[in-house]
Amino acid sequence: MEWTDTRARRVLRRLFDAGVSSADPRRVLAAHLPERPKGRCVVVGAGKASALMAQAVEEAWPDVPLSGVVVTRYGHAAATRQIEVVEAAHPVPDENSERAARRILAAVQGLGPDDLVLALISGGGSSLLALPVEGVTLADKRAVNRLLLASGADIGLMNAVRRRLSAIKGGKLAAAAAPARVVTLAISDVPGDDPLTIASGPTVPVGAEEPDIGAFVARVAGDLPAHLVPLLAGSGGGTPREGERLDYRLIATPVLALRAAAEAARAEGLTPVILGDALEGEARELGTAMAGIARSVRRHGEPAAPPAVLLSGGETTVSIGNGPAGRGGRNTAFLLGMLIALKGDPGIWALAGDTDGIDGTEDAAGAIVAPDSWQRALAAGLDPAAVLARHDSYSLFEAVGDLVVTGPTLTNVNDLRAILIAG
């Protein structure tokens, strides 16, 4: 069957949807639940998927009395009967983020050894669960968050900084729940699925593996509130408290999403090649590199003969600096870098999107690049290189009609990129 533009776009969307569906809490959470507790069951959580995870707990345990509260991003709520869902801001925390964190800490107080705390953790939890340590204000945390977002820092460093300023992250939530049993059910949105990095690890004690944030602090010290510099420059390490047990269960991950997309690709007659679930780096540069790999497939049949699809996950960065900034996230920046490198190379289509349905702060998951995207951009009076330089990738794909809009998916296993090479 011929690979028309319509067919290629339809297949790419099917692959993306398969990856998202593999991380739907209603499909995967029940299998990871622990045995029912003898005592109380308190459900707490934070992240873009936490509300749907709470709904999934209620569906799986209809006969278990539940209580508790979870916090999710505005517009990401799901219907629950026993577990309260509150909404707060992302990616920069607001007053609801702080109120939610205080309520979650209060919910786990006074529990006994026969009680169970189910912690539902997913990406986005760092800003949604914002409770500053003594001497730090929410305004301070917002200022630091903005510096982090503009710096191009990777997620590990960002969350290490957030833990340093938090009264709930880095295992402090689990410590507050003692002596109750704490079981964490997590959806990973980070390279390597590091529990300490997912939502800054509210149930994971900080150890010697904590990233060094000294270079970041030195670079932005002039822009930081002065009283935060010594706090961030100090030691952020720690060890688990005596008697703490870490029961941390990953229920969905980026690699599982890629495998689901690969299975869907085979059903469409494509040879899938999974390049990795933890690709990082500057978004535009990775887009350029991926264009080169796609050309190698088309021209030389390496690393697979067409028709094939290159699949990858991970979280790239967009370093904005002090220059102009338009609209767009890392997925549209990746695709614009790829578009510029391909310049209309025939037989290559690509989709890149955030599995939570929101690329950066925009209302699209990502976009699609097609062989004619270059010419359509020029016909619209757009200079792709100039658009990329001013960080306005969303606007270009909006102008040519190539945005991928899903709405909030209520899950989050990071970005999913699929590059289809027809031949």
Side-chain angles (χ1 to χ4, degrees):
M1 186 184 301
E2 182 184 358
W3 281 97
T4 63
D5 184 70
T6 299
R7 182 188 176 199
R9 289 171 181 268
R10 184 179 68 247
V11 168
L12 284 173
R13 183 59 189 269
R14 283 180 181 169
L15 269 54
F16 182 76
D17 290 346
V20 172
S21 180
S22 76
D24 187 329
R26 294 166 298 187
R27 294 184 56 190
V28 299
L29 182 142
H32 298 273
L33 285 168
E35 65 276 11
R36 288 164 168 77
K38 297 178 182 178
R40 299 173 56 193
C41 182
V42 178
V43 181
V44 295
K48 298 172 188 175
S50 65
L52 197 58
M53 293 172 80
Q55 185 187 92
V57 171
E58 291 187 346
E59 291 174 355
W61 278 357
D63 55 341
V64 176
L66 304 170
S67 64
V69 58
V70 301
V71 57
T72 192
R73 182 176 178 161
Y74 291 121
H76 286 60
T80 54
R81 299 181 307 278
Q82 302 180 74
I83 305 162
E84 185 179 359
V85 175
V86 298
E87 294 177 296
H90 180 279
V92 178
D94 65 359
E95 289 76 9
N96 280 350
S97 307
E98 182 173 352
R99 281 194 287 266
R102 292 189 186 279
R103 292 185 61 193
I104 285 170
L105 276 180
V108 302
Q109 299 294 319
L111 300 178
D114 288 336
D115 298 326
L116 171 67
V117 173
L118 275 180
L120 310 178
I121 304 300
S122 61
S126 284
S127 66
L128 296 167
L129 204 60
L131 182 60
V133 295
E134 187 175 351
V136 177
T137 68
L138 188 59
D140 292 334
K141 295 199 74 171
R142 286 178 183 146
V144 172
N145 234 31
R146 291 189 183 98
L147 287 173
L148 285 166
L149 291 169
S151 71
D154 65 53
I155 190 66
L157 187 146
M158 291 176 74
N159 285 351
V161 172
R162 290 164 174 163
R163 282 191 293 273
R164 197 72 63 89
L165 302 176
S166 175
I168 195 170
K169 301 183 178 80
K172 299 183 182 77
L173 174 59
R181 182 187 182 193
V182 178
V183 175
T184 304
L185 304 181
I187 294 179
S188 172
D189 70 324
V190 301
D193 305 326
D194 177 15
L196 190 58
T197 302
I198 303 168
S200 298
T203 60
V204 184
V206 176
E209 73 279 5
E210 183 77 332
D212 181 6
I213 66 172
F216 167 77
V217 174
R219 187 167 71 251
V220 302
D223 297 315
L224 281 171
H227 65 286
L228 297 187
V229 175
L231 180 61
L232 289 171
S235 173
T239 57
R241 297 168 188 253
E242 185 176 354
E244 281 187 349
R245 296 168 294 168
L246 181 62
D247 189 340
Y248 197 99
R249 308 179 182 193
L250 288 167
I251 71 169
T253 67
V255 73
L256 293 177
L258 291 175
R259 290 172 184 169
E263 184 177 349
R266 292 187 190 97
E268 298 288 348
L270 294 165
T271 300
V273 178
I274 296 179
L275 299 175
D277 67 330
L279 275 63
E280 300 178 88
E282 196 69 28
R284 65 173 76 187
E285 295 173 3
L286 184 61
T288 301
M290 286 294 188
I293 298 173
R295 279 194 175 120
S296 178
V297 171
R298 190 176 67 80
R299 296 174 182 175
H300 310 297
E302 295 291 343
V309 63
L310 306 174
L311 299 170
S312 65
E315 185 171 292
T316 60
T317 54
V318 177
S319 300
I320 296 175
N322 297 319
R327 304 174 67 192
R330 57 184 181 261
N331 286 289
T332 51
F334 164 86
L335 288 168
L336 190 47
M338 189 174 180
L339 172 68
I340 293 168
L342 288 174
K343 288 186 174 64
D345 210 324
I348 299 174
W349 288 260
L351 182 153
D354 196 323
T355 55
D356 68 3
I358 300 173
D359 185 32
T361 59
E362 301 301 340
D363 60 357
I368 287 178
V369 162
D372 66 345
S373 294
W374 176 262
Q375 288 300 326
R376 286 187 290 115
L378 296 180
L382 298 169
D383 177 352
V387 172
L388 185 59
R390 63 176 180 265
H391 303 288
D392 200 24
S393 52
Y394 174 98
S395 297
L396 182 143
F397 289 108
E398 181 183 40
V400 299
D402 282 343
L403 290 173
V404 173
V405 179
T406 64
T409 65
L410 307 188
T411 190
N412 184 17
V413 283
N414 220 318
D415 299 336
L416 194 155
R417 297 175 288 268
I419 303 171
L420 192 159
I421 305 98

